[in-house]
């Protein structure tokens, strides 16, 4: 009989996978909420985050690489952020030196914008605790789409919203009413101009609002959406951070000079 694999976290077992962006955001949020006096390994706050992260792993990791974030690991990750914290290092202390590269990126993106960090963390937590549409983040990752700065789970919710048939139809109807055509906001491409009536109605809809505002409790207005051709839309989401419609438009203009 084959031996059962060792559980992750026990000696000799495979290492836990690297911390994901979503997990790092939640760990930074916990750290900054208790910056002066971080909670201990055995505190309720650290245990709560450990349990949230294990749920997150089950929701998002479909490649069978189960994560196991025990309270000791959560505590250590939270304390890893100290090495970037000027209120700590100013006293001549250095914090833990080891950590993953994305920790510094997450610190730079969110540490000086506590409101955004709080909102993004709450949005991620809201997805995990099942208050949003669970099917949204069980979808496969799409090739060519980079995860947003805000992590994987919000990226999946976001992409699902972009493809919501009802919203897409509303935006197209409004554009047709206003201008009589469906043209790309970045490059002006119009499928009917290029291919004739067989291409009628073809255009992508792109959300321009921050990801965390797409979860429950926020309404999307048609003014937060842009029409994009498939090519420009792909370019928007192909790098991290995602590009704005204006940036994609500028890239094209620069190439044509
Ligand atoms: Zn375009
Ligand atoms: Zn988009």
């Amino acid at each position: 009989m084959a031996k059962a694999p060792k559980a992750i976290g026990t000696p000799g077992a495979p290492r836990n996978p690297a911390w994901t962006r979503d997990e790092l955001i939640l760990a930074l949020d916990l750290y900054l909420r208790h910056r002066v006096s971080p909670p201990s390994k055995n505190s309720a706050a650290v245990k709560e985050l450990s349990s949230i992260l294990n749920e997150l792993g089950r929701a998002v990791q479909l490649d069978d690489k189960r994560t196991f974030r025990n309270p000791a690991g959560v505590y250590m990750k939270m304390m890893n952020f100290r090495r970037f914290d000027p209120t700590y290092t100013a006293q001549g202390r250095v914090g833990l030196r080891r950590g993953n590269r994305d920790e510094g990126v997450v610190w730079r993106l969110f540490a000086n914008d506590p409101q955004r960090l709080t909102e993004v963390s709450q949005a991620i937590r809201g997805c995990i605790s099942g208050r949003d549409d669970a099917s949204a983040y069980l979808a496969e990752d799409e090739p060519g789409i980079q995860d947003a700065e805000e992590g994987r789970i919000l990226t999946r919710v976001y992409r699902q919203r972009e493809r919501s048939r009802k919203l897409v139809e509303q935006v197209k109807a409004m554009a047709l009413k206003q201008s009589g055509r469906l043209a790309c906001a970045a490059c002006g491409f119009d499928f009917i101009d290029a291919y004739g009536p067989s291409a009628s109605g073809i255009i992508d809809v792109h959300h321009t609002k921050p990801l965390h505002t797409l979860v429950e409790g926020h309404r999307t207005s048609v003014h937060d959406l842009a029409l994009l051709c498939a090519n420009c839309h792909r370019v928007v989401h192909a790098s991290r951070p995602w590009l704005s419609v204006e940036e994609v438009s500028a890239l094209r203009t620069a190439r044509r000079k």
Side-chain angles (χ1 to χ4, degrees):
M1 208 175 84
K3 262 170 103 181
K6 291 191 175 183
I8 286 176
T10 59
R15 283 172 64 89
N16 259 340
W19 281 55
T20 62
R21 176 62 65 92
D22 309 58
E23 292 179 309
L24 290 175
I25 289 170
L26 296 185
L28 176 63
D29 176 57
L30 182 63
Y31 174 69
L32 289 180
R33 279 190 281 127
H34 302 276
R35 197 171 195 168
V36 181
S37 171
S40 76
K41 272 176 222 180
N42 299 315
S43 63
V46 166
K47 285 182 183 162
E48 189 263 356
L49 183 56
S50 158
S51 122
I52 288 273
L53 294 183
N54 289 327
E55 275 186 58
L56 174 70
R58 284 190 289 277
V60 184
Q61 245 109 40
L62 299 172
D63 52 5
D64 224 17
K65 274 193 271 163
R66 286 295 172 89
T67 60
F68 179 70
R69 307 301 187 199
N70 60 23
V74 169
Y75 175 79
M76 168 123 21
K77 188 55 69 177
M78 181 182 71
M79 300 309 268
N80 272 344
F81 283 111
R82 270 196 154 168
R83 69 190 195 279
F84 307 110
D85 186 351
T87 64
Y88 184 75
T89 55
Q91 297 160 41
R93 297 181 292 194
V94 290
L96 297 172
R97 284 190 185 278
R98 289 178 55 195
N100 88 16
R101 206 167 57 89
D102 209 29
E103 286 163 16
V105 178
V106 169
W107 179 275
R108 283 194 297 280
L109 280 172
F110 293 100
N112 294 317
D113 194 347
Q115 191 182 341
R116 181 178 177 221
L117 177 63
T118 303
E119 288 175 5
V120 169
S121 303
Q122 281 172 356
I124 294 172
R125 282 167 169 270
C127 292
I128 301 165
S129 50
R131 276 179 274 126
D132 209 347
D133 179 6
S135 65
Y137 34 86
L138 291 173
E140 292 286 337
D141 290 322
E142 301 164 88
I145 302 279
Q146 286 288 331
D147 284 351
E149 287 180 334
E150 295 89 342
R152 180 155 300 177
I153 206 157
L154 293 181
T155 297
R156 290 186 181 179
V157 172
Y158 174 93
R159 290 288 295 162
Q160 207 207 28
R161 291 297 152 91
E162 281 200 331
R163 289 179 305 216
S164 145
R165 187 178 291 264
K166 194 171 144 210
L167 206 57
V168 169
E169 293 310 323
Q170 272 178 6
V171 185
K172 286 185 191 176
M174 198 172 90
L176 284 172
K177 203 169 148 192
Q178 281 175 352
S179 65
R181 58 202 296 259
L182 299 176
C184 174
C187 74
F189 187 86
D190 178 329
F191 280 83
I192 292 201
D193 278 355
Y195 301 101
S198 307
S200 144
I202 300 180
I203 198 87
D204 281 8
V205 169
H206 168 66
H207 266 285
T208 55
K209 272 177 75 170
L211 268 74
H212 63 268
T213 63
L214 289 178
V215 294
E216 197 180 27
H218 292 267
R219 287 188 73 81
T220 302
S221 135
V222 285
H223 303 291
D224 303 319
L225 300 154
L227 297 179
L228 289 179
C229 75
N231 287 349
C232 291
H233 200 188
R234 207 166 168 156
V235 176
V236 163
H237 293 297
S239 46
R240 182 153 98 175
W242 291 345
L243 302 177
S244 67
V245 173
E246 293 73 27
E247 284 168 328
V248 172
S249 184
L251 286 179
R252 280 180 54 86
T253 310
R255 297 288 295 174
R256 277 156 185 253
K257 273 182 189 150

